[in-house]
Amino acid sequence: MKLIYLTLIIILSPFASIGQYEVLEARKVKDQNGDKVKKGDFLSREDKIQVASKGGITLDVESAMHMKLGPGVYQVGTESTRHNEWYNTHLALTKKLKQEGMIMCKFRYKTLAVPGSDRHYEVDRIELDQSGFDRINHDTTRLTISWVNPDYRYKGGYRLVIRDYYNNGFVDIIETNEDTITFYPGKYGHKHMYYNIIADDCRASLRYKIEVNTPNARVNSSTTFINDKN
């Protein structure tokens, strides 16, 4: 009889964690009862949490990429669904770029040394007509960017590659044969993103930042986004 009882425990115990997410990191996080959420706790899809200013939480969810949330009020299940859908998008875009040979491709730039330092400046990158940082305050706000390819003979296409700032995952890739493009950053649900232009021959621009200040935009971590030079 003891053997049967122990067998049932072994079989049933793995199912106790279905629908629950382990807290991998937590800083300044409380649940709906006002109790502190700590590393090693488990949260259900129905739980609501509040992440205070300069706080953050990392959860082990269904996707291979851990879910990170910055300051705000969240329902765990809603954010997990959002995160998993985005991760599936990231995987699909990664597969597409691999098929096109664009993941690991590199362009051999001409470089100039910066006097008085060990830094080098790549002189023949694609140059964007942008300030380096854009704030988006409405979902309907569109961002138009244009660029110049230093190779005037180039006749190929371009890709606008948009990535999440914190985990570098792909958010969207928009292809064009023009030297200008318009898109709507607010539709993606990411508060902090960066983008650049990449040509078919792998020549690329520098990265440019976007901060989206809309109700649906989610922060993946506490941020030094504006001051960060990367």
Side-chain angles (χ1 to χ4, degrees):
M1 189 68 179
K2 287 184 178 180
L3 180 60
I4 296 174
Y5 177 71
L6 290 173
T7 302
L8 285 174
I9 292 177
I10 293 172
I11 293 174
L12 293 176
S13 60
F15 293 92
S17 62
I18 288 180
Q20 292 187 321
Y21 307 121
E22 183 180 1
V23 178
L24 303 178
E25 295 179 4
R27 187 175 70 259
K28 296 185 177 182
V29 184
K30 293 184 178 180
D31 63 17
Q32 59 264 43
N33 299 317
D35 296 327
K36 183 178 180 180
V37 176
K38 304 181 296 296
K39 178 180 179 179
D41 288 348
F42 284 85
L43 298 175
S44 72
R45 292 185 60 84
E46 290 72 31
D47 282 333
K48 292 182 179 180
I49 57 173
Q50 180 171 3
V51 183
S53 176
K54 298 184 180 180
I57 187 169
T58 302
L59 295 171
D60 186 6
V61 293
E62 291 90 347
S63 72
M65 183 179 287
H66 296 148
M67 180 174 75
K68 294 184 178 182
L69 296 171
V73 178
Y74 310 99
Q75 181 170 345
V76 174
T78 299
E79 298 308 318
S80 175
T81 297
R82 183 196 302 267
H83 174 83
N84 294 332
E85 289 175 350
W86 168 75
Y87 183 64
N88 289 336
T89 297
H90 164 71
L91 291 180
L93 293 173
T94 301
K95 180 179 179 180
K96 182 177 186 296
L97 287 179
K98 284 183 177 179
Q99 291 173 340
E100 296 172 348
M102 298 296 293
I103 286 289
M104 300 300 294
C105 71
K106 294 183 179 180
F107 189 87
R108 298 184 64 179
Y109 297 100
K110 299 175 183 177
T111 60
L112 291 177
V114 178
S117 76
D118 58 356
R119 296 179 59 190
H120 291 75
Y121 177 68
E122 295 165 334
V123 298
D124 53 347
R125 280 188 173 273
I126 293 172
E127 185 174 349
L128 270 65
D129 183 21
Q130 302 297 116
S131 63
F133 177 73
D134 291 284
R135 273 197 181 90
I136 304 298
N137 297 320
H138 305 283
D139 288 335
T140 55
T141 300
R142 61 185 181 180
L143 180 60
T144 298
I145 61 175
S146 57
W147 57 90
V148 175
N149 191 325
D151 181 4
Y152 66 91
R153 297 167 298 181
Y154 179 75
K155 301 297 182 182
Y158 298 93
R159 293 167 180 81
L160 169 67
V161 179
I162 307 170
R163 306 183 77 163
D164 183 87
Y165 178 73
Y166 296 101
N167 50 41
N168 297 320
F170 294 110
V171 174
D172 199 4
I173 297 172
I174 305 173
E175 299 182 11
T176 181
N177 289 318
E178 306 296 329
D179 56 4
T180 185
I181 198 167
T182 298
F183 65 107
Y184 295 83
K187 76 176 186 178
Y188 298 116
H190 293 254
K191 186 174 181 64
H192 296 121
M193 298 179 287
Y194 68 84
Y195 65 90
N196 68 336
I197 295 294
I198 303 177
D200 288 343
D201 62 0
C202 295
R203 189 195 298 265
S205 72
L206 296 175
R207 296 175 177 180
Y208 293 79
K209 297 177 182 179
I210 307 174
E211 180 180 82
V212 180
N213 299 309
T214 64
N216 291 326
R218 290 296 183 263
V219 183
N220 292 105
S221 181
S222 57
T223 178
T224 55
F225 180 75
I226 297 176
N227 297 324
D228 198 315
K229 296 181 181 180
N230 293 330

